[in-house]
């Protein structure tokens, strides 16, 4: 049995088990509007939000009513490429991509506040204990718990594909994909923020049900700890590296 109430704020690691984080959607869209002046439309009835870059070459589309569960699409023209993310993709990794989109267009305002990773996928994997395997031209990176994979297939239309599932459980499946012409640095940005050691904050009730009960998820309180909650989480990780404290 858990000691957390559904409304309790908690810190969760690893990030790929934390679910979407619906209460933090603004971190993915807000900076493009307020800092970079992207045009946007919003339907208050459906939540559908569409953003267009000032040069009208790049689009971000958020649609929580998509019947296939693809809530996020980033679309670029000339060259055409697309990135898409399903509902439970952690918002921190999505926001890491959307916030650097202006830099991909040459707009480096606020670059010091929104850094773009310089690490390759392989370098990030080594630093975060993700295993790397090769099969011909295909390279796969797998999280230490085996629940999340990133596959790079250079000859496929979907050149980079990230998949997650906790024992094929309901509401733990999510996926992300980048098509062939997508900038590799955006994929590296997504991966760096997906694999980061820093825990993410969620409402306990918003976590996927199986993640709440998985020994692979470390879940600690935001309020009520005797020390800073991030310090508490780090100490708990040291004592229980593959599970949450009981």
């Amino acid at each position: 049995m858990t000691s957390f109430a559904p409304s309790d704020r908690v810190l969760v690691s690893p990030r790929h088990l934390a679910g979407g984080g619906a209460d933090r959607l603004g971190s993915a869209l807000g900076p493009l509007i307020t800092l970079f002046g992207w045009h946007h439309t919003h339907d208050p009835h459906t939540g559908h939000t569409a953003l267009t870059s000032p040069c009208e070459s790049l689009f971000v589309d958020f649609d929580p009513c998509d019947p296939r569960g693809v809530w996020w699409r980033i679309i670029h023209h000339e060259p055409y490429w697309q990135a898409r993310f399903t509902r439970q993709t952690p918002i921190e990794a999505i926001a890491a991509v959307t916030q650097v989109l202006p830099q991909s267009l040459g707009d480096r305002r606020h670059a010091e506040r929104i850094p773009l990773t310089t690490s390759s996928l392989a370098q990030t994997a080594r630093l975060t204990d993700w295993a790397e395997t090769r099969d011909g031209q295909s390279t796969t990176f797998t999280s230490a718990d085996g629940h999340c994979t990133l596959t790079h297939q250079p000859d496929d239309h979907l050149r980079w594909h990230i998949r997650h599932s906790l024992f094929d459980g309901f509401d733990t499946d999510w996926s992300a994909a980048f098509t062939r012409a997508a900038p590799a640095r955006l994929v590296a940005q997504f991966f760096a923020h997906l694999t980061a050691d820093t825990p993410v904050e969620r409402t306990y009730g918003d976590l996927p049900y199986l993640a709440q009960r998985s020994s692979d998820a470390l879940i600690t309180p935001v309020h009520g700890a005797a020390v800073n909650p991030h310090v508490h989480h780090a100490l708990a990780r040291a004592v229980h590296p593959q599970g949450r404290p009981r």
Side-chain angles (χ1 to χ4, degrees):
M1 297 293 290
T2 178
S3 58
F4 294 113
S7 60
D8 284 347
R9 303 295 296 182
V10 295
L11 295 178
V12 187
S13 65
R15 291 182 171 195
H16 57 79
L17 285 170
D23 61 342
R24 294 176 173 263
L25 295 177
S27 64
L29 301 174
L32 293 178
I33 298 169
T34 60
L35 297 180
F36 298 100
W38 285 36
H39 174 72
H40 68 283
T41 60
H42 174 69
D43 185 337
H45 300 292
T46 65
H48 183 206
T49 304
L51 279 68
T52 305
S53 65
C55 63
E56 299 185 349
S57 67
L58 195 51
F59 308 88
V60 177
D61 191 85
F62 170 71
D63 184 4
C65 295
D66 184 277
R68 293 162 295 182
V70 180
W71 280 25
W72 298 86
R73 295 181 189 274
I74 301 171
I75 301 170
H76 183 270
H77 293 286
E78 296 182 13
Y80 176 82
W81 59 264
Q82 186 178 146
R84 51 183 182 260
F85 313 98
T86 61
R87 180 176 67 90
Q88 287 286 39
T89 307
I91 189 63
E92 292 78 10
I94 297 174
V97 174
T98 59
Q99 290 178 13
V100 299
L101 290 176
Q103 292 186 50
S104 74
L105 299 175
D107 184 349
R108 294 193 53 80
R109 288 178 296 166
H110 312 293
E112 72 286 350
R113 296 168 54 189
I114 309 174
L116 182 60
T117 185
T118 58
S119 298
S120 68
L121 296 178
Q123 289 170 330
T124 296
R126 285 194 294 271
L127 289 172
T128 56
D129 295 325
W130 282 51
E132 179 180 353
T133 57
R134 294 181 180 271
D135 182 8
Q137 294 294 314
S138 176
T139 303
T140 299
F141 302 96
T142 305
S143 61
D145 58 21
H147 300 310
C148 195
T149 60
L150 184 155
T151 302
H152 177 218
Q153 296 175 299
D155 295 331
D156 283 11
H157 174 64
L158 292 180
R159 182 169 286 182
W160 296 273
H161 204 148
I162 303 93
R163 298 177 176 89
H164 180 271
S165 179
L166 183 60
F167 309 124
D168 297 320
F170 173 73
D171 214 31
T172 67
D173 291 350
W174 61 262
S175 65
F178 296 79
T179 60
R180 183 174 299 167
R185 292 185 71 185
L186 293 183
V187 185
Q189 181 82 352
F190 178 89
F191 191 51
H193 285 261
L194 177 67
T195 61
D197 286 338
T198 307
V200 295
E201 186 173 329
R202 296 285 187 269
T203 298
Y204 183 74
D206 287 341
L207 294 176
Y209 178 82
L210 289 180
Q212 294 176 6
R213 286 150 180 81
S214 171
S215 61
D216 292 319
L218 178 62
I219 305 173
T220 59
V222 170
H223 304 292
V227 295
N228 177 284
H230 283 269
V231 173
H232 181 204
H233 192 90
L235 293 172
R237 181 187 289 138
V239 176
H240 300 274
Q242 291 185 322
R244 67 166 173 248
R246 301 293 180 183

